[in-house]
Amino acid sequence: MELNDANLQTLTEFLRKTLDPDPTVRRPAEKFLESVEGNQNYPLLLLTLLEKSQDNVIRVCAAVTFKNYIKRNWRIVEDEPNKISDPDRTAIKANIVNLMLSSPEQIQKQLSDAISIIGREDFPQKWPDLLTEMVTRFRSGDFHIINGVLRTAHSLFKRYRHEFKSNELWSEIKLVLDTFALPLTELFKATIELCHTHATDVNALKVLFSSLTLIAKLFYSLNFQDLPEFFEDNMETWMTNFHGLLTLDNKLLQTDLVSNAIQFLASVCERPHYKHLFEDQNTLTSICEKVIVPNMEFRSADEEAFEDNSEEYIRRDLEGSDIDTRRRAACDLVRGLCKFFEGPVTAIFSGYVNSMLAEYAKNPQENWKHKDAAIYLVTSLASKAQTQKHGITQANELVNLTEFFVNYILPDLKSPNGKSTPYSGMCFCCCCSQLPKEQLLQAIPLLISHLQAESTVEHTYAAHALERLFTMRGPNNTTLITPAEMAPFTEQLLNNLFKALAFPGSAENEYIMKAIMRSFSLLQDSIVPYIPTLIGQLTHKLLQVSKNPSKPHFNHYLFESLCLSVRITCKANPTTVSSFEEALFPVFTEILQNDVQEFLPYVFQVMSLLLEIHSNSIPASYMALFPHLLQPVLWERTGNIPPLVRLLQAYLEKGGATIANSAADKIPGLLGVFQKLIASKANDHQGFYLLNSIIEHMPPESITQYRKQIFILLFQRLQSSKTTKFIKSFLVFVNLYCVKYGAIALQEIFDSIQPKMFGMVLEKIVIPEVQKVSGTVEKKICAVGITKILTECPAMMDTEYTKLWTPLLQALIGLFELPEDDSIPDDEHFIDIEDTPGYQTAFSQLAFAGKKEHDPIGDAVGNPKILLAQSLHKLSTACPGRVPSMLSTSLNAEALQFLQGYLQAATVQLV
């Protein structure tokens, strides 16, 4: 694509169409952009548009498209083509920082994200001058530019908070500190000075404090792994100014800076080597009174978010986010201080809690905020350890949670419209794991009734609390709450959950959908009578959200709920699978026809689940879809590969013969998929899954003509890039082939490719590498296959291959008796199986669509050791004297001892 006006105009038109609400206009435009994004200069055309277009909407659209293009394509994946040409990469890195800093804020944020994505891959090795280029802009004095630099630096450095310690990480942080620490400190001091100068100018202060917030975040990231020498030397500058900010009370400002500073304090006080800083009673009292208590209070900004942007309020409160609330930071600080000073801190706050509750009691309608703050303070104090999933996991023995629950939380849950009810719901979520079961059972019907509250926060917290309850485990690791205990409430629970999705603002409420999923999982058979109604509601919801998928978590729980409906109903009555197909297939067809990329991996998983329930036949509706599943475009998207492979495996398992008879012309397409997968280090294991199913389920004559070519492809890959993962999969396949077609067929196909190839494979791969095979079924396949090679292949007894017989037996006994060899050579740097390259629709495994592990050998062989003993006995009977002679001359004593044990267990002898 040339950089010219005609192409810019074409691109403008298609970008405009991608904003059209009509899918028939929008989707073809998206398809066009997808088809041209591999062309050279495409990203430069986007950058030109976002810089020079006269239409602001097109500029923003070009910026978002560019960022998503970078997400999808910047990472270079081994064995896959480079999706962005080197000249384009160089040009992007040369221009993007300037462009980002000179753009309006809306575009600046998109380009800042793009820089951080490129930086994650290229900084510092392939982009050494990035930091220097950014730091020089601090001198500009223009805070629009400065904030752009700070925002980009934050997105680059925040990963230091989560990375594991390594020399590579230390080297990178050192390089960053050498370039960035001093200019950041100077900027911090200068910005603080400007805040004093402009103390009465609200607009100037908003800009300056947004800079200070970003500076605080950067300080936190750069100090997270350890306290660097530079910051230790300049601690007075930072801490004096942080203290000033913590105690600042400027009515003109509502800022997130305080929560960042408190978060830093929380991080420091948990570390043993800074414990002495907090030991003084006056210091502790001062922090508790002047920092924590004021920031526990429900501020007017929180109230505004509660009323006007409840989704963001819930997200911050339940999960935390990059813009954490002050009270959440204060809660973290309480927990941090309790780590070393539990007694004194609990004593200090007990007085505050009592006075807050006393104030509330005077006038509950007006003083509800006092009770709200007390609730947060108590849950923070009570929690020694807490996780997002399980709430409080370790409690402070000095706080009586049960008593507090009975006196202050339960009355709120019983009240239909108390102002502090939502916060009591939140408190219940946190502390339910520490409450006796009878109180939890008492709370269930109350929470179910709160699902009907119109307040988004209130019905969301109720759903979240129920979901938490349903995941709690009892003494035998079964669910604490049983389906029998839920029986009186089942109908109301399901009704209220689905009704809650109808409230404005909750149509795609992920907490409600998660509670629906968890309810299905807990109730199991109890939901069967309601399924005809529920499946209609779920499919209707699926159809709605497929028009414009925007809530990934909601969508995931929706598909999980569909899987549970199918599993639970079909477990009781497998014939009902057809009624699910009737309900789901029209929606699935629409999703497939409209190529809703986010949903395809889910659809393939649900279809696999449905097909696997069928007895050994494939319905015509599935066969009609089969050719479409082999289309190359579907296999280009990484997220589609695992579910599509599983779906094709289900096709092969249920109807290998049907495919051979009525779709034989599609077998080359099936093998083409295998060939594509096997060429990729990231996906070769998926290629083997498919190949193993072809070998196991297809009629032998249907693939006879392709067998030799399959082995040639595998040998070419072994020669070009051998990895441990590939060898393990290769060994399982070779032995499965041997089990299916016999040892003679295996030897003949190897030697037909190249004379003596069979011996080379045994000597160079099977004998030295079989110890690496992992997994019970995989080991069983290898054991049975090797046993067949040892005892059913005449060439092993009468040719030059005979010298390999004892080493192969030794390797098999090693597979039985020695620990797995999990070593990986130092020079292997292939992508891990779970690593998803670039920004494509990632594969999200549906937990409730899980597939049982399949054993292709099954009951035919119970114990492979017994099979070996019986097979050796049979061989020795056929050629008396040979087997004992080979064993006594070259099998080591330990292996021989194990073998004797197998023979005794099988009650056979060698002759």
Side-chain angles (χ1 to χ4, degrees):
M1 293 178 85
E2 295 297 316
L3 272 170
N4 57 36
D5 290 343
N7 280 337
L8 286 170
Q9 186 55 41
T10 304
L11 201 53
T12 301
E13 286 166 18
F14 279 101
L15 285 172
R16 199 183 307 284
K17 286 177 183 174
T18 63
L19 303 173
D20 198 298
D22 181 355
T24 59
V25 177
R26 186 177 74 246
R27 290 198 187 280
E30 290 168 348
K31 285 265 178 270
F32 170 79
L33 293 178
E34 198 180 320
S35 71
V36 299
E37 70 173 23
N39 296 344
Q40 189 168 340
N41 290 330
Y42 172 76
L44 305 185
L45 284 163
L46 286 173
L47 288 178
T48 307
L49 270 185
L50 70 85
E51 182 185 15
K52 296 183 174 169
S53 173
Q54 300 302 305
D55 185 335
N56 203 41
V57 172
I58 293 298
R59 291 182 71 191
V60 174
C61 185
V64 173
T65 305
F66 175 80
K67 178 193 72 177
N68 290 335
Y69 165 82
I70 294 294
K71 272 186 179 179
R72 276 195 304 276
N73 301 310
W74 193 271
R75 176 182 286 183
I76 297 172
V77 179
E78 194 178 350
D79 292 331
E80 292 193 13
N82 183 350
K83 294 176 182 172
I84 303 178
S85 69
D86 288 337
D88 280 357
R89 286 175 185 272
T90 306
I92 288 167
K93 286 192 284 196
N95 293 299
I96 191 168
V97 174
N98 262 334
L99 198 50
M100 184 266 292
L101 297 174
S102 59
S103 298
E105 189 171 350
Q106 218 177 350
I107 293 171
Q108 190 180 80
K109 283 180 177 174
Q110 301 298 329
L111 292 180
S112 172
D113 283 350
I115 291 170
S116 68
I117 294 159
I118 297 169
R120 271 202 299 275
E121 300 298 323
D122 289 14
F123 176 78
Q125 282 82 8
K126 295 183 190 170
W127 204 358
D129 53 350
L130 170 63
L131 272 194
T132 322
E133 191 179 352
M134 284 164 55
V135 163
T136 54
R137 309 309 172 95
F138 284 164
R139 302 191 202 111
S140 67
D142 180 341
F143 273 86
H144 173 72
I145 290 174
I146 289 168
N147 280 358
V149 172
L150 292 171
R151 202 175 291 116
T152 306
H154 169 54
S155 60
L156 274 173
F157 304 156
K158 69 180 175 185
R159 68 184 176 84
Y160 298 158
R161 304 177 189 183
H162 317 294
E163 296 264 317
F164 287 114
K165 291 177 170 58
S166 67
N167 289 336
E168 192 182 351
L169 180 67
W170 293 131
S171 303
E172 184 178 322
I173 292 176
K174 185 181 182 310
L175 182 131
V176 169
L177 290 166
D178 290 348
T179 313
F180 205 77
L182 179 59
L184 185 71
T185 305
E186 295 300 324
L187 178 66
F188 182 49
K189 290 194 290 192
T191 311
I192 292 285
E193 283 300 314
L194 286 168
C195 288
H196 295 315
T197 309
H198 299 281
T200 55
D201 182 344
V202 66
N203 292 324
L205 284 177
K206 278 182 177 173
V207 175
L208 292 168
F209 269 79
S210 66
S211 302
L212 286 171
T213 301
L214 287 163
I215 290 169
K217 288 178 179 181
L218 286 164
F219 180 81
Y220 184 47
S221 298
L222 294 174
N223 285 275
F224 193 91
Q225 293 281 346
D226 200 1
L227 186 62
E229 191 179 342
F230 176 87
F231 287 118
E232 204 163 358
D233 294 344
N234 288 273
M235 193 55 78
E236 191 174 343
T237 299
W238 284 92
M239 288 303 133
T240 306
N241 286 314
F242 272 155
H243 183 263
L245 291 167
L246 281 168
T247 52
L248 180 76
D249 185 23
N250 189 321
K251 299 293 184 231
L252 297 172
L253 290 167
Q254 300 288 351
T255 171
D256 296 314
L257 183 64
V258 174
S259 63
N260 283 280
I262 299 172
Q263 205 73 55
F264 177 71
L265 270 181
S267 169
V268 169
C269 74
E270 283 189 320
R271 301 186 183 191
H273 44 289
Y274 299 125
K275 181 182 168 186
H276 64 279
L277 297 174
F278 301 89
E279 280 175 339
D280 182 69
Q281 181 70 25
N282 293 331
T283 305
L284 269 182
T285 307
S286 178
I287 290 173
C288 292
E289 289 179 356
K290 295 178 180 171
V291 176
I292 293 171
V293 171
N295 287 298
M296 280 286 180
E297 289 169 5
F298 192 70
R299 295 153 61 245
S300 54
D302 296 325
E303 196 164 2
E304 279 173 31
F306 182 99
E307 299 291 346
D308 304 331
N309 190 359
S310 47
E311 191 175 343
E312 175 59 22
Y313 178 87
I314 292 162
R315 193 168 67 84
R316 287 192 200 184
D317 210 30
L318 291 181
E319 298 171 21
S321 70
D322 217 27
I323 40 174
D324 280 344
T325 55
R326 285 187 181 198
R327 63 188 347 198
R328 190 182 177 89
C331 291
D332 289 343
L333 181 52
V334 173
R335 273 194 288 275
L337 288 170
C338 282
K339 187 170 180 179
F340 295 119
F341 312 104
E342 188 174 73
V345 169
T346 306
I348 293 166
F349 282 132
S350 295
Y352 279 101
V353 169
N354 290 331
S355 66
M356 286 170 179
L357 291 170
E359 282 300 309
Y360 166 75
K362 288 177 189 172
N363 188 343
Q365 276 302 103
E366 289 300 315
N367 297 345
W368 60 270
K369 287 184 184 179
H370 290 286
K371 179 176 178 180
D372 168 59
I375 287 171
Y376 268 84
L377 205 42
V378 168
T379 48
S380 305
L381 276 175
S383 163
K384 272 187 177 178
Q386 181 169 352
T387 65
Q388 191 178 312
K389 185 176 177 184
H390 299 294
I392 296 174
T393 54
Q394 194 183 351
N396 177 345
E397 291 168 10
L398 304 174
V399 178
N400 188 334
L401 266 180
T402 307
E403 189 183 305
F404 186 80
F405 174 79
V406 171
N407 292 337
Y408 300 105
I409 304 298
L410 205 54
D412 267 348
L413 294 180
K414 288 177 179 174
S415 156
N417 51 14
K419 272 214 167 185
S420 56
T421 300
Y423 317 111
S424 293
M426 179 58 194
C427 170
F428 181 76
C429 294
C430 291
C431 66
C432 61
S433 59
Q434 303 298 315
L435 295 172
K437 183 173 175 177
E438 59 270 20
Q439 286 175 350
L440 300 179
L441 289 170
Q442 205 180 344
I444 286 172
L446 304 175
L447 291 167
I448 290 172
S449 65
H450 282 294
L451 290 170
Q452 295 179 293
E454 285 186 27
S455 156
T456 304
V457 177
E458 189 174 338
H459 63 242
T460 301
Y461 281 0
H464 182 58
L466 286 164
E467 190 270 328
R468 276 275 173 85
L469 270 177
F470 296 163
T471 53
M472 285 172 64
R473 296 276 153 187
N476 305 322
N477 205 31
T478 54
T479 53
L480 183 67
I481 309 295
T482 66
E485 287 163 336
M486 285 301 298
F489 319 118
T490 298
E491 189 166 339
Q492 193 191 357
L493 169 70
L494 296 171
N495 276 339
N496 287 8
L497 281 168
F498 278 90
K499 278 181 187 169
L501 289 173
F503 283 120
S506 278
E508 293 179 42
N509 185 317
E510 67 185 73
Y511 298 98
I512 297 172
M513 190 49 77
K514 192 176 186 183
I516 289 171
M517 173 194 81
R518 205 66 74 190
S519 301
F520 284 12
S521 176
L522 172 75
L523 296 166
Q524 290 292 318
D525 294 352
S526 310
I527 65 164
V528 171
Y530 307 101
I531 286 292
T533 309
L534 299 178
I535 200 72
Q537 291 177 277
L538 289 169
T539 47
H540 178 66
K541 181 60 73 177
L542 178 59
L543 191 60
Q544 285 178 316
V545 297
S546 69
K547 303 280 188 255
N548 185 21
S550 58
K551 299 282 180 65
H553 289 102
F554 177 87
N555 299 334
H556 186 90
Y557 300 135
L558 171 56
F559 276 102
E560 291 281 21
S561 302
L562 286 168
C563 290
L564 276 163
S565 308
V566 172
R567 263 191 189 287
I568 293 165
T569 313
C570 295
K571 184 180 170 188
N573 180 4
T575 57
T576 54
V577 69
S578 56
S579 57
F580 281 105
E581 288 163 350
E582 224 171 90
L584 291 168
F585 272 30
V587 190
F588 286 178
T589 303
E590 194 159 322
I591 289 168
L592 290 165
Q593 284 173 346
N594 292 327
D595 192 26
V596 185
Q597 293 184 25
E598 298 89 335
F599 282 4
L600 293 185
Y602 290 126
V603 168
F604 297 142
Q605 286 178 82
V606 180
M607 287 185 68
S608 301
L609 178 64
L610 292 165
L611 184 51
E612 285 157 8
I613 291 166
H614 280 274
S615 55
N616 293 328
S617 63
I618 302 186
S621 54
Y622 287 88
M623 281 310 295
L625 183 65
F626 183 66
H628 302 286
L629 301 178
L630 304 175
Q631 289 175 349
V633 65
L634 284 178
W635 296 89
E636 292 299 324
R637 299 174 196 148
T638 316
N640 286 349
I641 290 172
L644 263 179
V645 166
R646 177 183 167 188
L647 182 53
L648 290 181
Q649 284 184 287
Y651 270 88
L652 290 161
E653 183 191 339
K654 299 297 176 184
T658 310
I659 292 168
N661 293 330
S662 62
D665 57 327
K666 297 296 176 284
I667 294 174
L670 198 57
L671 292 168
V673 169
F674 150 75
Q675 185 175 355
K676 175 182 169 57
L677 295 174
I678 218 76
S680 155
K681 286 182 182 176
N683 297 314
D684 50 16
H685 61 293
Q686 296 286 350
F688 275 112
Y689 294 160
L690 186 57
L691 181 58
N692 291 346
S693 290
I694 291 169
I695 295 299
E696 186 186 349
H697 299 295
M698 291 291 284
E701 65 281 2
S702 67
I703 56 165
T704 305
Q705 59 181 308
Y706 307 110
R707 285 190 217 165
K708 189 171 177 179
Q709 187 56 36
I710 287 170
F711 277 96
I712 290 169
L713 286 170
L714 295 176
F715 284 127
Q716 285 171 345
R717 169 62 207 275
L718 268 173
Q719 216 167 0
S720 64
S721 55
K722 183 172 73 172
T723 65
T724 302
K725 176 160 75 85
F726 185 88
I727 286 170
K728 285 161 73 170
S729 300
F730 177 77
L731 284 167
V732 174
F733 162 69
V734 165
N735 284 294
L736 181 65
Y737 187 95
C738 180
V739 172
K740 177 77 176 176
Y741 295 122
I744 296 172
L746 182 70
Q747 178 248 318
E748 285 176 348
I749 199 161
F750 277 146
D751 287 347
S752 72
I753 293 168
Q754 186 181 315
K756 299 181 184 175
M757 173 73 87
F758 182 60
M760 283 189 271
V761 171
L762 291 180
E763 187 178 3
K764 304 289 186 194
I765 299 174
V766 179
I767 293 168
E769 305 284 8
V770 75
Q771 203 62 43
K772 288 191 164 78
V773 173
S774 54
T776 311
V777 172
E778 289 82 355
K779 285 184 172 183
K780 183 178 177 182
I781 292 168
C782 289
V784 175
I786 292 172
T787 299
K788 283 181 170 290
I789 293 169
L790 287 166
T791 61
E792 296 176 14
C793 180
M796 289 298 290
M797 302 297 285
D798 301 319
T799 65
E800 67 271 30
Y801 297 151
T802 307
K803 66 178 188 286
L804 299 170
W805 192 91
T806 315
L808 183 60
L809 177 60
Q810 178 100 26
L812 176 54
I813 295 169
L815 179 66
F816 287 144
E817 306 298 344
L818 296 175
E820 179 192 324
D821 173 10
D822 56 4
S823 61
I824 291 180
D826 292 339
D827 59 348
E828 281 193 20
H829 300 296
F830 59 86
I831 297 172
D832 195 51
I833 293 175
E834 285 79 18
D835 200 355
T836 307
Y839 177 72
Q840 296 193 22
T841 306
F843 169 56
S844 295
Q845 172 72 56
L846 289 168
F848 296 110
K851 184 184 178 186
K852 283 183 184 169
E853 187 171 41
H854 171 64
D855 179 358
I857 295 168
D859 298 334
V861 176
N863 183 342
K865 295 177 185 179
I866 301 292
L867 176 74
L868 173 63
Q870 291 168 338
S871 303
L872 286 173
H873 167 70
K874 192 175 171 187
L875 178 68
S876 74
T877 310
C879 39
R882 288 281 307 277
V883 176
S885 147
M886 288 193 288
L887 294 178
S888 59
T889 52
S890 43
L891 193 68
N892 79 28
E894 199 179 357
L896 195 54
Q897 201 175 344
F898 281 123
L899 184 58
Q900 293 297 346
Y902 309 159
L903 292 163
Q904 282 170 9
T907 62
V908 294
Q909 291 181 330
L910 301 179
V911 293

